[in-house]
Amino acid sequence: MDQELSASQTASQTSNLSPSPSGKPRAAVLMIQGTASDVGKSLVTAAIGRLMTRDGYRTAPFKSQNMALNSYVTEDGKEIGRAQGMQAEAFGIAATTDMNPILLKPSGEMSAQIVVHGVPHAALSAREYREKFLPEARGTVMAALERLRASYEAVLIEGAGSPAEINLKANDIVNMNLAGWADAPVLLVADIDRGGVFAFIVGTLELLEPHERQRVRGFIINKFRGDLSLLQPGLDWLEQRTGIPVLGVLPFLPQLRIEAEDSVVLEGTPGTRQQGDGKELDIAVIHYPRISNFTDFDPLADEPDTAVRYVSRAEELGSPDVILLPGTKNTAADLRYLREQGFPAAITAALKDGAHQLVGICGGYQMLGVKLLDPDAVESSEPGESAGLGYLPLSTVFLPDKTTVRVSGSLAADHPLRLGGGARAATAELGVSGYEIHMGATSNLGADAVRSLFRLKGADGELQPEGWGTLDGKIWGTYLHGLFHNDGLRRAWLDGLRVSKGLKPLESTFSAAAAREREFDRLADAVSEHLNMQAIYEIMGLQKTEER
């Protein structure tokens, strides 16, 4: 076995550096797969790419097919998986749709919107996707990968779920089939924190075909806590049992502030505060089943006086300072969920009992209106109309064409937001930027009852009003994702809440962008200390910078 593996590895390393069909040098590739979902593939990929970028290699991320509710808008207004956007930022490059050519956005238990190169392609059931779309997907995937390999020196390919899902392997375009098409060596990541790590690794290998098993060049054990010497006998056994080296045991990093791929990280802790009790501002985010882009609220949780908690049951809501309705992949379905769970009554009671604001972002903004129209059955099985929560005099029409755009601008001169923090907030000259992802157009049915929040410049370069709020600023909504990543506005808004509670404003804040860079470096530094990067370079057929 060892001789066969060595020969396969040598062949893979040689072909990894072969020229493209055009004769140009092809980037080296490495694939990071996992023994299961949520074992840390995205962050391991981000860390390795950050380290390679530090070493002078122009490195790009790639994931052929990503299923996620958290998405990212590229500079040219296209939609990709949030993880690949995050990885591109970690590598110091602009994200493109080639980095995630196929994005699946679940819209129901057995259906999803299929986004191809950033544009909605079709809404398909799981069976339709496998039978109608996947047979044609290889060309899309490989063309995107080849463009990346022609533009960069290294491409890190992230797998999805597990490569040992027997029922999915025939039409696989994201794990071992893709590794074969790209002739990529594979590292297998396993999560020791969930237990059974050796069974996960050995079991995964046992379910792979011999030619697939030969591609696995190393193991990475992730999220380790404790004394490594106590784990060492198991590592020795694993290497002897499989003939494959353990390239690193990565530590569990508490409170790592790098955005999560999907809402699985919110499960199991409903109603709990992310940053602990005892903080002066309490913000409750309603966690409905199809929540999306909840990373909008990460900077709020990083503020020293603010606790952010996610609630999925009405009885958990209480009387927070702010109730946030986040984005959703299906506004109508999650609105039904709110009603089934008794949230409308709980929200009304909270507002009467001292909650200072009710805020909606994207789908949550649509819910705040009086009616939702779906003439083309974009969000439902048939055309129809449904009632919103009725807090704002707004009407939303769902449209077949999705809006995906990066925008920037400023607060409207007469905006109703309650801002605190002295002269800076009083001038209302705070810049704002972010992105929009939605399939609806929202209009004002009561011009005198609400005021617009922002003046934003979109793709056409024209300033347009965006977002609406009540005159007293107690209820407002916007399509703007990334709103709270605007440092000055975020702090001024929180200080306004403090003033409403009789507290002094803090005024000082932090840079969300700088904090993000520090977290990327914190991740990379930890991985560098515990991962054999020299072995990884050798697997890829590359040299470290000082040896180039």
Side-chain angles (χ1 to χ4, degrees), residues 356-359 416-418 469-476 493:
H356 294 279
Q357 292 186 31
L358 170 63
V359 178
L417 295 180
R418 300 173 176 179
T470 56
L471 302 185
D472 61 3
K474 193 164 185 174
I475 300 171
W476 56 273
W493 178 66

Side-chain angles (χ1 to χ4, degrees), residues 312-315 336-344:
S312 55
R313 296 191 298 271
E315 57 267 28
R336 287 195 298 272
Y337 170 84
L338 291 187
R339 290 194 166 104
E340 291 166 358
Q341 296 296 316
F343 270 107

Side-chain angles (χ1 to χ4, degrees), residues 6 9 94 127 159 188 249 297 400 424 477:
S6 175
Q9 291 170 350
R127 180 176 295 277
L188 189 64
V249 178
F297 315 122
R424 178 191 63 191

Side-chain angles (χ1 to χ4, degrees), residues 310-362:
Y310 289 80
V311 299
S312 55
R313 296 191 298 271
E315 57 267 28
E316 298 167 349
L317 185 60
S319 297
D321 296 308
V322 178
I323 302 167
L324 277 169
L325 297 175
T328 167
K329 183 57 192 71
N330 190 307
T331 302
D334 278 340
L335 184 55
R336 287 195 298 272
Y337 170 84
L338 291 187
R339 290 194 166 104
E340 291 166 358
Q341 296 296 316
F343 270 107
I347 292 171
T348 299
L351 291 171
K352 290 180 179 178
D353 197 33
H356 294 279
Q357 292 186 31
L358 170 63
V359 178
I361 306 293
C362 199

Side-chain angles (χ1 to χ4, degrees), residues 95-135:
T96 71
T97 62
D98 280 340
M99 297 172 188
N100 176 214
I102 300 172
L103 173 63
L104 310 182
K105 302 194 72 174
S107 54
E109 291 298 322
M110 296 291 291
S111 61
Q113 180 187 69
I114 316 302
V115 179
V116 178
H117 276 294
V119 178
H121 173 74
L124 300 175
S125 68
R127 180 176 295 277
E128 289 172 333
Y129 178 73
R130 290 184 58 76
E131 294 179 354
K132 297 180 180 180
F133 182 82
L134 279 181

